[in-house]
Amino acid sequence: MRAIVLLSLALVLSACASTPARINNVCSVFDQKQGPFGGWYTQAKRTERQYGVPASILMATIRIESGFQSSVRPPRTKLLGIIPWKRKSSAYGYSQALDGTWERYKRETGNWSARRSSFADAVNFVGWYHYTSNQTNGIPLNDAYNLYLAYYAGHAGYSRGVWRSNPGMQKSARKAAGMANSYAAQMKSCGR
């Protein structure tokens, strides 16, 4: 009996850590990440209620940032073209939050045990960050394009308009906005 309980626990925990398939379909993602004590849908909706940012925008941000991978990091640069060297940034986890921004989130929310590799913590971080963009830069909480620009450029970078001369940043924001719109329509169709 003990072996069955341990095996069941191992299967539940491994399902929590695995990257979902069909990540362009948020209903499929939610179905795959539904656990015995709630799941990603529950966590995204909880963050939506807390910060006022639609779950579709939260999920689209994470989709664009990490593809729903829990431990992804930016690739290493190469020294002399072949030797793995430093990473371009300290971004890590589902939200690709930088070290300093993650520390600020933990300090301001009091969530000291938050981990970037935890979906619940990462989605809450994204909600907090977008809410802060609203408070700092006046971006409406349903404006996926500009929320993503502020997420990508940082609050100060967004207010300085660094994205205006950065076509790559604008392209990523269009992709995030399109994904948010698609996710919103999918959530309606599957009753979420």
Side-chain angles (χ1 to χ4, degrees), residues 122-141:
V123 75
N124 192 265
F125 169 85
V126 172
W128 167 82
Y129 197 93
H130 287 337
Y131 177 79
T132 305
S133 296
N134 168 265
Q135 299 298 297
T136 304
N137 299 108
I139 303 169
L141 294 173

Side-chain angles (χ1 to χ4, degrees), residues 1 3-4 31-32 43 64 75 92-93 96 100 108 110 115 126 128 130 134 149 153 160 165 173 178:
M1 180 65 171
I4 293 172
D31 288 344
Q32 293 171 69
Q43 294 157 354
I64 300 300
Y92 177 72
Q96 288 296 283
E108 290 186 11
R115 295 173 298 116
V126 172
W128 167 82
H130 287 337
N134 168 265
L149 282 175
R160 286 194 314 272
S165 59

